[in-house]
Amino acid sequence: MNWDRVEGNWKQFTGKVKEQWGKLTDDDIAQINGNRDQLEGKLQARYGYAKDQVKEDVDSWLNRHG
């Protein structure tokens, strides 16, 4: 699946995002609003992951939910 599908249906994916990354708050989810760069930034902030790790995690999550 590509990110455009997630972005266009963000409200439908928020539950799956919260299941995967439970440290994200409802405010984080609202601020992300389907923007992949925002998601990656929030994951870096909440989990302390490196940028490359976050990108891999998001790609992996996309592949599982595609």
Side-chain angles (χ1 to χ4, degrees):
M1 171 174 59
N2 66 26
W3 189 260
D4 291 338
R5 183 166 169 226
V6 173
E7 190 171 13
N9 297 290
W10 181 243
K11 290 193 188 303
Q12 294 174 16
F13 283 98
T14 57
K16 290 181 168 105
V17 169
K18 285 169 108 175
E19 283 176 22
Q20 179 69 28
W21 296 290
K23 290 184 180 180
L24 294 177
T25 66
D26 289 339
D27 285 344
D28 290 339
I29 297 291
Q31 288 173 3
I32 292 164
N33 196 29
N35 183 297
R36 182 174 174 151
D37 290 338
Q38 284 283 333
L39 173 61
E40 290 180 3
K42 294 289 183 189
L43 293 176
Q44 284 179 272
R46 295 281 181 230
Y47 288 89
Y49 293 161
K51 187 175 179 94
D52 290 347
Q53 179 64 49
V54 169
K55 183 169 176 29
E56 286 179 24
D57 283 358
V58 173
D59 285 343
S60 177
W61 179 82
L62 274 174
N63 289 334
R64 282 195 310 274
H65 291 91

